[in-house]
Coordinates of all heavy atoms in Angstrom, one line a residue:
L1 N 2.0 7.1 13.3 CA 2.0 7.6 12.0 C 0.7 7.5 11.3 O 0.4 8.4 10.5 CB 3.0 6.7 11.2 CG 3.2 6.9 9.7 CD1 3.8 8.3 9.5 CD2 4.1 5.9 9.1
R2 N -0.1 6.5 11.6 CA -1.4 6.4 10.9 C -2.4 7.5 11.2 O -3.3 7.8 10.5 CB -2.0 5.1 11.2 CG -1.3 3.9 10.6 CD -1.9 2.6 10.9 NE -1.1 1.6 10.3 CZ -0.8 0.4 10.9 NH1 -1.3 0.2 12.1 NH2 -0.1 -0.5 10.3
N3 N -2.2 8.2 12.3 CA -3.0 9.4 12.7 C -2.3 10.7 12.4 O -2.7 11.7 12.9 CB -3.4 9.3 14.2 CG -4.3 8.1 14.4 OD1 -5.2 7.8 13.6 ND2 -4.1 7.5 15.6
S4 N -1.3 10.7 11.6 CA -0.5 11.9 11.4 C -1.0 12.7 10.3 O -1.8 12.3 9.5 CB 1.0 11.5 11.1 OG 1.1 10.9 9.8
G5 N -0.5 13.9 10.2 CA -0.8 14.8 9.1 C -0.3 14.3 7.8 O -0.9 14.5 6.8
F6 N 0.8 13.6 7.9 CA 1.4 13.0 6.7 C 0.3 12.0 6.0 O 0.1 12.1 4.8 CB 2.6 12.2 7.0 CG 3.1 11.3 5.8 CD1 3.7 11.9 4.7 CD2 2.9 9.9 5.9 CE1 4.1 11.0 3.7 CE2 3.3 9.1 4.9 CZ 3.9 9.7 3.7
V7 N -0.3 11.2 6.8 CA -1.2 10.2 6.3 C -2.5 10.9 5.8 O -3.0 10.6 4.7 CB -1.6 9.1 7.3 CG1 -2.7 8.2 6.8 CG2 -0.3 8.3 7.6
D8 N -2.9 11.9 6.6 CA -4.1 12.7 6.1 C -3.8 13.4 4.8 O -4.7 13.4 3.9 CB -4.5 13.8 7.2 CG -5.1 13.2 8.4 OD1 -5.6 12.0 8.3 OD2 -5.1 13.8 9.5
G9 N -2.7 13.9 4.6 CA -2.3 14.6 3.4 C -2.2 13.6 2.2 O -2.6 13.9 1.1
L10 N -1.7 12.4 2.5 CA -1.6 11.4 1.5 C -3.0 10.9 1.0 O -3.2 10.7 -0.2 CB -0.8 10.2 2.1 CG -0.4 9.1 1.2 CD1 0.6 9.7 0.2 CD2 0.3 8.0 2.0
L11 N -3.9 10.9 1.9 CA -5.2 10.3 1.6 C -6.3 11.3 1.2 O -7.3 11.0 0.6 CB -5.8 9.5 2.8 CG -5.1 8.2 3.0 CD1 -5.5 7.7 4.3 CD2 -5.3 7.3 1.9
K12 N -6.1 12.6 1.5 CA -7.2 13.6 1.1 C -7.4 13.5 -0.4 O -6.6 13.3 -1.2 CB -6.8 15.0 1.6 CG -5.7 15.6 0.8 CD -5.5 17.0 1.3 CE -4.4 17.7 0.4 NZ -4.2 19.0 0.8
W13 N -8.7 13.7 -0.7 CA -9.1 13.5 -2.1 C -8.5 14.6 -3.0 O -7.9 14.3 -4.0 CB -10.6 13.4 -2.2 CG -10.9 13.2 -3.7 CD1 -11.6 14.0 -4.5 CD2 -10.5 12.1 -4.5 NE1 -11.7 13.5 -5.8 CE2 -11.0 12.3 -5.8 CE3 -9.8 10.9 -4.2 CZ2 -10.8 11.4 -6.8 CZ3 -9.6 10.1 -5.3 CH2 -10.1 10.3 -6.6
D14 N -8.6 15.8 -2.6 CA -8.1 16.9 -3.5 C -6.6 17.0 -3.4 O -6.0 17.5 -2.4 CB -8.7 18.3 -3.1 CG -10.1 18.3 -3.3 OD1 -10.6 17.6 -4.2 OD2 -10.8 19.0 -2.6
G15 N -5.9 16.4 -4.4 CA -4.4 16.4 -4.4 C -3.7 15.3 -3.7 O -2.5 15.2 -3.8
G16 N -4.5 14.4 -3.1 CA -3.9 13.3 -2.4 C -3.5 12.2 -3.4 O -3.8 12.2 -4.6
L17 N -2.9 11.2 -2.9 CA -2.4 10.1 -3.8 C -3.6 9.4 -4.5 O -3.4 9.2 -5.7 CB -1.6 9.0 -2.9 CG -1.0 7.9 -3.7 CD1 -0.1 8.3 -4.8 CD2 -0.4 6.9 -2.8
P18 N -4.7 9.1 -3.9 CA -5.8 8.4 -4.7 C -6.2 9.3 -5.8 O -6.4 8.8 -6.9 CB -6.9 8.2 -3.6 CG -6.2 8.2 -2.3 CD -5.0 9.2 -2.5
A19 N -6.4 10.6 -5.7 CA -6.8 11.4 -6.7 C -5.8 11.5 -7.8 O -6.1 11.5 -9.0 CB -7.1 12.8 -6.2
R20 N -4.5 11.7 -7.5 CA -3.5 11.8 -8.5 C -3.4 10.5 -9.3 O -3.2 10.5 -10.5 CB -2.1 12.1 -7.8 CG -2.1 13.5 -7.2 CD -0.6 13.9 -6.9 NE 0.2 12.9 -6.2 CZ 0.3 12.8 -4.9 NH1 -0.3 13.6 -4.1 NH2 1.1 11.8 -4.4
V21 N -3.5 9.3 -8.6 CA -3.4 8.1 -9.3 C -4.6 7.9 -10.3 O -4.4 7.5 -11.4 CB -3.2 6.9 -8.4 CG1 -3.3 5.6 -9.1 CG2 -1.8 7.0 -7.7
K22 N -5.8 8.1 -9.7 CA -7.0 7.9 -10.6 C -6.9 8.8 -11.8 O -7.3 8.4 -12.9 CB -8.2 8.3 -9.8 CG -9.5 7.9 -10.5 CD -10.7 8.2 -9.6 CE -12.0 7.7 -10.2 NZ -12.2 7.9 -11.6
A23 N -6.3 10.0 -11.7 CA -6.3 10.9 -12.9 C -5.2 10.5 -13.9 O -5.2 11.1 -15.0 CB -6.1 12.3 -12.4
L24 N -4.3 9.7 -13.5 CA -3.2 9.3 -14.5 C -3.7 8.6 -15.7 O -4.7 7.8 -15.6 CB -2.2 8.3 -13.8 CG -1.3 8.9 -12.7 CD1 -0.6 7.7 -12.0 CD2 -0.4 9.9 -13.2
A25 N -3.1 8.9 -16.8 CA -3.3 8.1 -18.0 C -2.7 6.7 -17.8 O -1.7 6.6 -17.1 CB -2.7 8.8 -19.2
G26 N -3.2 5.7 -18.4 CA -2.6 4.4 -18.3 C -3.6 3.4 -17.8 O -4.7 3.7 -17.4
S27 N -3.1 2.2 -17.8 CA -3.9 1.0 -17.3 C -4.1 1.0 -15.8 O -3.3 1.6 -15.1 CB -3.3 -0.3 -17.8 OG -2.1 -0.5 -17.1
I28 N -5.0 0.2 -15.4 CA -5.2 0.0 -14.0 C -4.0 -0.6 -13.4 O -3.5 -0.2 -12.3 CB -6.5 -0.9 -13.7 CG1 -7.8 -0.2 -14.0 CG2 -6.5 -1.4 -12.3 CD1 -9.0 -1.0 -13.9
E29 N -3.4 -1.5 -14.1 CA -2.1 -2.2 -13.6 C -1.0 -1.2 -13.4 O -0.3 -1.2 -12.4 CB -1.7 -3.3 -14.5 CG -2.6 -4.5 -14.5 CD -3.9 -4.3 -15.3 OE1 -4.0 -3.4 -16.1 OE2 -4.8 -5.2 -15.2
E30 N -0.9 -0.2 -14.3 CA 0.1 0.8 -14.1 C -0.2 1.7 -12.9 O 0.7 2.2 -12.2 CB 0.2 1.7 -15.4 CG 0.8 0.9 -16.6 CD 0.6 1.6 -17.9 OE1 -0.4 2.3 -18.1 OE2 1.5 1.4 -18.8
K31 N -1.5 2.0 -12.7 CA -1.9 2.9 -11.6 C -1.6 2.1 -10.3 O -1.1 2.7 -9.3 CB -3.3 3.2 -11.7 CG -3.6 4.1 -12.9 CD -5.1 4.4 -13.0 CE -5.4 5.3 -14.2 NZ -6.8 5.6 -14.3
I32 N -1.8 0.8 -10.2 CA -1.5 0.0 -9.1 C 0.0 0.1 -8.8 O 0.4 0.2 -7.6 CB -2.0 -1.4 -9.2 CG1 -3.5 -1.4 -9.2 CG2 -1.4 -2.3 -8.2 CD1 -4.1 -2.7 -9.7
E33 N 0.8 0.0 -9.8 CA 2.3 0.1 -9.6 C 2.6 1.4 -9.0 O 3.5 1.5 -8.1 CB 3.0 -0.1 -10.9 CG 4.5 -0.1 -10.8 CD 5.2 -1.1 -11.6 OE1 4.6 -2.0 -12.1 OE2 6.4 -1.1 -11.5
V34 N 2.0 2.5 -9.4 CA 2.3 3.8 -8.9 C 2.0 3.8 -7.4 O 2.8 4.4 -6.6 CB 1.6 4.9 -9.6 CG1 1.7 6.3 -8.9 CG2 2.1 5.1 -11.0
V35 N 0.8 3.3 -7.0 CA 0.5 3.3 -5.6 C 1.5 2.5 -4.8 O 1.9 2.9 -3.7 CB -1.0 2.7 -5.4 CG1 -1.3 2.5 -3.9 CG2 -2.0 3.6 -6.1
F36 N 1.8 1.3 -5.2 CA 2.8 0.4 -4.5 C 4.1 1.1 -4.3 O 4.7 1.1 -3.2 CB 2.9 -0.9 -5.2 CG 2.0 -2.0 -4.7 CD1 0.7 -2.0 -5.0 CD2 2.5 -3.0 -3.8 CE1 -0.2 -3.0 -4.6 CE2 1.7 -3.9 -3.3 CZ 0.3 -4.0 -3.7
V37 N 4.6 1.7 -5.4 CA 5.9 2.4 -5.3 C 5.8 3.6 -4.4 O 6.8 3.8 -3.6 CB 6.4 2.7 -6.7 CG1 7.6 3.6 -6.6 CG2 6.7 1.5 -7.5
S38 N 4.7 4.3 -4.4 CA 4.5 5.5 -3.6 C 4.4 5.1 -2.1 O 4.9 5.8 -1.2 CB 3.3 6.2 -4.0 OG 3.4 6.7 -5.3
V39 N 3.8 4.0 -1.8 CA 3.5 3.6 -0.4 C 4.5 2.6 0.1 O 5.1 2.8 1.2 CB 2.1 3.1 -0.2 CG1 1.8 2.6 1.2 CG2 1.0 4.1 -0.6
L40 N 4.8 1.6 -0.6 CA 5.7 0.5 -0.1 C 7.1 0.6 -0.7 O 7.9 -0.2 -0.3 CB 5.1 -0.9 -0.4 CG 3.7 -1.2 0.3 CD1 3.2 -2.5 -0.1 CD2 3.8 -1.0 1.8
V41 N 7.3 1.5 -1.6 CA 8.6 1.6 -2.3 C 9.1 0.4 -2.9 O 10.2 0.0 -2.9 CB 9.7 2.2 -1.3 CG1 10.9 2.7 -2.0 CG2 9.1 3.3 -0.4
R42 N 8.1 -0.3 -3.6 CA 8.4 -1.5 -4.4 C 7.3 -1.7 -5.3 O 6.2 -1.3 -5.0 CB 8.7 -2.7 -3.5 CG 7.4 -3.2 -2.8 CD 7.5 -4.6 -2.2 NE 6.4 -5.0 -1.5 CZ 5.3 -5.6 -2.0 NH1 5.2 -5.8 -3.3 NH2 4.3 -6.0 -1.3
P43 N 7.5 -2.4 -6.4 CA 6.4 -2.7 -7.3 C 5.6 -3.9 -6.7 O 6.1 -4.6 -5.9 CB 7.1 -3.2 -8.6 CG 8.5 -3.6 -8.2 CD 8.8 -2.8 -6.9
P44 N 4.3 -4.0 -7.1 CA 3.5 -5.1 -6.7 C 4.0 -6.4 -7.3 O 4.6 -6.4 -8.4 CB 2.1 -4.7 -7.2 CG 2.3 -3.9 -8.4 CD 3.6 -3.1 -8.1
T45 N 3.7 -7.5 -6.6 CA 4.0 -8.8 -7.2 C 2.9 -9.0 -8.2 O 1.9 -8.3 -8.3 CB 3.9 -9.9 -6.1 OG1 2.5 -9.9 -5.6 CG2 4.9 -9.7 -5.0
D46 N 3.1 -10.0 -9.0 CA 2.1 -10.4 -10.0 C 0.7 -10.7 -9.4 O -0.3 -10.2 -9.9 CB 2.5 -11.5 -10.9 CG 3.7 -11.2 -11.8 OD1 3.9 -10.0 -12.1 OD2 4.3 -12.2 -12.3
D47 N 0.8 -11.4 -8.3 CA -0.5 -11.7 -7.6 C -1.2 -10.5 -7.0 O -2.4 -10.3 -7.1 CB -0.2 -12.7 -6.4 CG -1.4 -13.1 -5.7 OD1 -2.4 -13.6 -6.3 OD2 -1.5 -12.9 -4.4
E48 N -0.4 -9.6 -6.4 CA -1.0 -8.3 -5.9 C -1.5 -7.5 -7.0 O -2.6 -7.0 -6.9 CB 0.1 -7.5 -5.2 CG 0.6 -8.2 -3.9 CD 1.8 -7.5 -3.3 OE1 2.7 -7.0 -4.1 OE2 2.0 -7.6 -2.1
R49 N -0.8 -7.4 -8.1 CA -1.3 -6.6 -9.3 C -2.7 -7.2 -9.8 O -3.6 -6.4 -10.0 CB -0.3 -6.6 -10.4 CG -0.6 -5.7 -11.5 CD 0.5 -5.7 -12.6 NE 1.7 -5.0 -12.1 CZ 2.8 -5.7 -11.8 NH1 2.9 -7.0 -11.9 NH2 3.9 -5.0 -11.4
L50 N -2.8 -8.5 -9.9 CA -4.0 -9.1 -10.4 C -5.1 -8.9 -9.4 O -6.3 -8.6 -9.8 CB -3.8 -10.6 -10.6 CG -2.9 -11.0 -11.8 CD1 -2.6 -12.5 -11.8 CD2 -3.6 -10.6 -13.1
R51 N -4.8 -9.1 -8.1 CA -5.9 -9.0 -7.1 C -6.4 -7.6 -7.0 O -7.6 -7.4 -7.0 CB -5.3 -9.4 -5.7 CG -6.3 -9.4 -4.6 CD -5.8 -10.0 -3.3 NE -4.4 -10.4 -3.3 CZ -3.4 -10.0 -2.5 NH1 -3.7 -9.1 -1.6 NH2 -2.2 -10.4 -2.6
Y52 N -5.6 -6.6 -7.0 CA -6.0 -5.2 -6.9 C -6.6 -4.7 -8.2 O -7.6 -3.9 -8.1 CB -4.9 -4.3 -6.4 CG -4.6 -4.5 -4.9 CD1 -3.4 -5.1 -4.5 CD2 -5.5 -4.3 -3.9 CE1 -3.1 -5.3 -3.2 CE2 -5.2 -4.5 -2.6 CZ -4.0 -5.1 -2.2 OH -3.7 -5.3 -0.9
A53 N -6.2 -5.2 -9.3 CA -6.8 -4.8 -10.6 C -8.2 -5.3 -10.6 O -9.2 -4.6 -11.0 CB -6.0 -5.4 -11.7
E54 N -8.4 -6.5 -10.2 CA -9.8 -7.1 -10.1 C -10.7 -6.3 -9.2 O -11.8 -6.0 -9.5 CB -9.7 -8.6 -9.7 CG -11.1 -9.2 -9.6 CD -11.0 -10.7 -9.1 OE1 -10.0 -11.3 -9.3 OE2 -12.0 -11.1 -8.5
F55 N -10.1 -5.9 -8.0 CA -10.9 -5.1 -7.1 C -11.3 -3.8 -7.7 O -12.4 -3.4 -7.6 CB -10.0 -4.9 -5.8 CG -10.6 -3.8 -4.9 CD1 -11.7 -4.1 -4.1 CD2 -10.0 -2.6 -4.8 CE1 -12.3 -3.1 -3.3 CE2 -10.6 -1.6 -4.0 CZ -11.7 -1.9 -3.2
L56 N -10.3 -3.1 -8.3 CA -10.6 -1.8 -8.9 C -11.6 -1.9 -10.0 O -12.5 -1.0 -10.1 CB -9.4 -1.1 -9.4 CG -8.4 -0.6 -8.3 CD1 -7.1 -0.1 -8.9 CD2 -9.1 0.5 -7.5
R57 N -11.5 -2.9 -10.8 CA -12.5 -3.1 -11.9 C -13.9 -3.4 -11.3 O -14.9 -2.8 -11.8 CB -12.1 -4.2 -12.8 CG -10.9 -3.8 -13.7 CD -10.6 -4.9 -14.8 NE -9.5 -4.4 -15.6 CZ -8.3 -4.8 -15.4 NH1 -7.9 -5.7 -14.5 NH2 -7.3 -4.3 -16.2
R58 N -14.0 -4.2 -10.3 CA -15.3 -4.5 -9.7 C -15.9 -3.2 -9.1 O -17.1 -3.1 -9.1 CB -15.2 -5.5 -8.6 CG -15.2 -7.0 -9.0 CD -15.4 -8.0 -7.9 NE -14.9 -7.6 -6.6 CZ -13.7 -8.0 -6.1 NH1 -13.0 -8.8 -6.8 NH2 -13.3 -7.6 -4.9
Q59 N -15.1 -2.4 -8.6 CA -15.6 -1.1 -8.0 C -15.9 0.0 -9.0 O -16.3 1.1 -8.7 CB -14.6 -0.6 -6.9 CG -14.4 -1.6 -5.8 CD -15.6 -1.9 -5.0 OE1 -16.4 -1.0 -4.7 NE2 -15.8 -3.1 -4.7
G60 N -15.6 -0.3 -10.3 CA -15.7 0.7 -11.3 C -14.7 1.9 -11.2 O -15.0 3.0 -11.7
E61 N -13.6 1.6 -10.7 CA -12.5 2.6 -10.5 C -13.0 3.9 -9.8 O -12.6 5.0 -10.1 CB -11.9 3.0 -11.8 CG -11.0 1.9 -12.4 CD -10.1 2.5 -13.5 OE1 -9.0 3.0 -13.2 OE2 -10.5 2.3 -14.7
K62 N -13.9 3.7 -8.8 CA -14.4 4.8 -8.1 C -13.3 5.4 -7.2 O -12.4 4.7 -6.8 CB -15.6 4.4 -7.2 CG -16.8 4.1 -8.0 CD -17.9 3.7 -7.0 CE -18.9 2.7 -7.5 NZ -19.7 2.2 -6.6
R63 N -13.5 6.7 -6.8 CA -12.6 7.3 -5.9 C -12.4 6.5 -4.7 O -11.2 6.3 -4.2 CB -13.2 8.7 -5.6 CG -12.3 9.4 -4.5 CD -13.1 10.6 -4.0 NE -14.0 10.1 -3.0 CZ -14.8 10.8 -2.2 NH1 -14.7 12.1 -2.3 NH2 -15.6 10.3 -1.4
E64 N -13.4 6.0 -4.1 CA -13.3 5.3 -2.8 C -12.5 4.0 -3.0 O -11.8 3.6 -2.1 CB -14.7 4.9 -2.3 CG -15.5 6.1 -1.8 CD -16.3 6.7 -3.0 OE1 -16.2 6.3 -4.2 OE2 -17.0 7.7 -2.7
A65 N -12.5 3.4 -4.2 CA -11.7 2.2 -4.4 C -10.2 2.5 -4.4 O -9.4 1.8 -3.8 CB -12.1 1.6 -5.8
Y66 N -9.8 3.7 -4.9 CA -8.4 4.1 -4.9 C -8.0 4.4 -3.4 O -6.9 4.1 -3.0 CB -8.1 5.2 -5.8 CG -8.0 4.8 -7.2 CD1 -9.1 4.8 -8.1 CD2 -6.8 4.3 -7.7 CE1 -9.0 4.3 -9.4 CE2 -6.7 3.8 -9.0 CZ -7.8 3.9 -9.9 OH -7.7 3.4 -11.2
E67 N -8.9 5.0 -2.7 CA -8.7 5.3 -1.3 C -8.5 4.0 -0.5 O -7.6 3.9 0.4 CB -9.8 6.2 -0.7 CG -9.9 7.6 -1.2 CD -11.1 8.3 -0.7 OE1 -12.0 7.7 -0.1 OE2 -11.1 9.6 -1.0
D68 N -9.4 3.0 -0.8 CA -9.3 1.8 -0.1 C -7.9 1.1 -0.4 O -7.3 0.5 0.5 CB -10.4 0.8 -0.5 CG -11.7 1.3 0.1 OD1 -11.8 2.1 1.0 OD2 -12.8 0.8 -0.4
L69 N -7.5 1.2 -1.6 CA -6.2 0.6 -2.0 C -5.1 1.2 -1.2 O -4.2 0.5 -0.6 CB -5.9 0.7 -3.5 CG -4.6 0.3 -4.0 CD1 -4.2 -1.1 -3.7 CD2 -4.5 0.5 -5.5
V70 N -5.0 2.5 -1.1 CA -4.0 3.2 -0.4 C -4.1 2.8 1.1 O -3.1 2.5 1.7 CB -4.0 4.7 -0.6 CG1 -3.1 5.5 0.3 CG2 -3.8 5.1 -2.1
W71 N -5.3 2.9 1.7 CA -5.5 2.5 3.1 C -5.0 1.1 3.4 O -4.4 0.8 4.4 CB -6.9 2.7 3.5 CG -7.3 3.9 4.2 CD1 -8.2 4.8 3.8 CD2 -6.7 4.4 5.4 NE1 -8.2 5.9 4.7 CE2 -7.3 5.7 5.7 CE3 -5.7 4.0 6.3 CZ2 -7.0 6.4 6.8 CZ3 -5.4 4.7 7.4 CH2 -6.1 5.9 7.7
T72 N -5.3 0.2 2.5 CA -4.9 -1.2 2.7 C -3.4 -1.3 2.8 O -2.9 -2.0 3.7 CB -5.4 -2.1 1.5 OG1 -6.8 -2.0 1.5 CG2 -4.9 -3.5 1.6
L73 N -2.7 -0.6 1.9 CA -1.2 -0.7 2.0 C -0.7 0.0 3.2 O 0.3 -0.4 3.8 CB -0.6 -0.1 0.7 CG -1.0 -0.9 -0.6 CD1 -0.3 -0.2 -1.8 CD2 -0.7 -2.3 -0.5
L74 N -1.3 1.2 3.6 CA -0.8 1.9 4.8 C -1.0 1.1 6.0 O -0.3 1.3 7.0 CB -1.5 3.2 4.9 CG -1.1 4.3 3.9 CD1 -2.0 5.5 4.0 CD2 0.3 4.7 4.1
N75 N -2.1 0.2 6.0 CA -2.4 -0.6 7.2 C -1.7 -1.9 7.2 O -1.9 -2.8 8.1 CB -3.9 -0.7 7.4 CG -4.5 0.5 7.9 OD1 -4.1 1.0 9.0 ND2 -5.4 1.1 7.2
S76 N -0.9 -2.2 6.2 CA -0.3 -3.5 6.1 C 0.9 -3.7 7.0 O 1.5 -2.7 7.5 CB 0.3 -3.7 4.6 OG 1.4 -2.9 4.4
A77 N 1.2 -4.9 7.4 CA 2.3 -5.2 8.3 C 3.6 -4.7 7.6 O 4.5 -4.2 8.3 CB 2.4 -6.7 8.6
E78 N 3.7 -4.9 6.3 CA 4.9 -4.4 5.6 C 5.2 -3.0 5.8 O 6.3 -2.5 6.0 CB 4.8 -4.8 4.1 CG 6.0 -4.4 3.3 CD 5.9 -4.8 1.8 OE1 4.9 -5.5 1.4 OE2 6.7 -4.3 1.1
F79 N 4.1 -2.1 5.6 CA 4.3 -0.7 5.8 C 4.7 -0.4 7.2 O 5.6 0.4 7.5 CB 3.0 0.1 5.4 CG 3.2 1.6 5.5 CD1 3.8 2.3 4.5 CD2 2.8 2.2 6.7 CE1 4.0 3.7 4.6 CE2 2.9 3.6 6.8 CZ 3.5 4.3 5.8
A80 N 4.0 -1.0 8.2 CA 4.3 -0.7 9.6 C 5.7 -1.1 10.0 O 6.3 -0.5 10.9 CB 3.3 -1.5 10.5
T81 N 6.2 -2.2 9.4 CA 7.6 -2.6 9.9 C 8.7 -2.1 9.0 O 9.9 -2.1 9.5 CB 7.6 -4.2 9.9 OG1 7.3 -4.7 8.6 CG2 6.7 -4.8 10.9
R82 N 8.4 -1.6 7.9 CA 9.5 -1.1 7.0 C 9.6 0.4 6.9 O 10.6 1.0 6.5 CB 9.3 -1.6 5.6 CG 9.5 -3.1 5.5 CD 9.4 -3.6 4.1 NE 10.5 -3.1 3.3 CZ 10.6 -3.1 2.0 NH1 9.6 -3.5 1.3 NH2 11.6 -2.6 1.4
H83 N 8.6 1.2 7.4 CA 8.6 2.6 7.2 C 8.4 3.3 8.5 O 7.9 3.1 9.4 CB 7.5 3.1 6.2 CG 7.7 2.4 4.9 ND1 8.8 2.8 4.0 CD2 7.1 1.4 4.2 CE1 8.7 2.0 2.9 NE2 7.7 1.2 3.0

């Protein structure tokens, strides 16, 4: 799955999940929720929300930071065993 066209389409910058989420109006925390629901089909825990919000803020909400967030979830044991 990780080498599939599905994952490539999800991650590509033009029209992929990172670009769509970065362009959304709303707080970083709301954007993180969209990523979690899109990838893991659940909202983030409070700890996850805080950790990833801190990461995105440190990175200046760059495109690559959103790509890293999506990649992290796609490479998680939770994604591999549930999807």
Side-chain angles (χ1 to χ4, degrees):
L1 177 63
R2 291 183 181 135
N3 292 323
S4 73
F6 168 75
V7 172
D8 286 339
L10 190 64
L11 289 170
K12 71 178 183 175
W13 182 244
D14 296 331
L17 182 60
R20 290 194 318 267
V21 170
K22 186 175 186 325
L24 289 174
S27 69
I28 289 175
E29 290 79 10
E30 291 168 327
K31 293 175 183 182
I32 291 166
E33 181 137 354
V34 170
V35 173
F36 266 77
V37 170
S38 297
V39 176
L40 297 179
V41 195
R42 68 166 177 85
T45 64
D46 290 340
D47 182 56
E48 290 167 332
R49 187 178 290 107
L50 289 170
R51 184 172 1 124
Y52 289 113
E54 181 181 331
F55 168 75
L56 288 172
R57 285 187 180 100
R58 275 196 328 260
Q59 299 299 315
E61 285 194 87
K62 292 183 210 167
R63 175 193 78 172
E64 293 85 359
Y66 283 93
E67 290 173 352
D68 288 345
L69 172 56
V70 173
W71 260 121
T72 298
L73 298 181
L74 287 173
N75 284 302
S76 69
E78 181 177 349
F79 182 82
T81 58
R82 293 185 66 198
H83 301 288

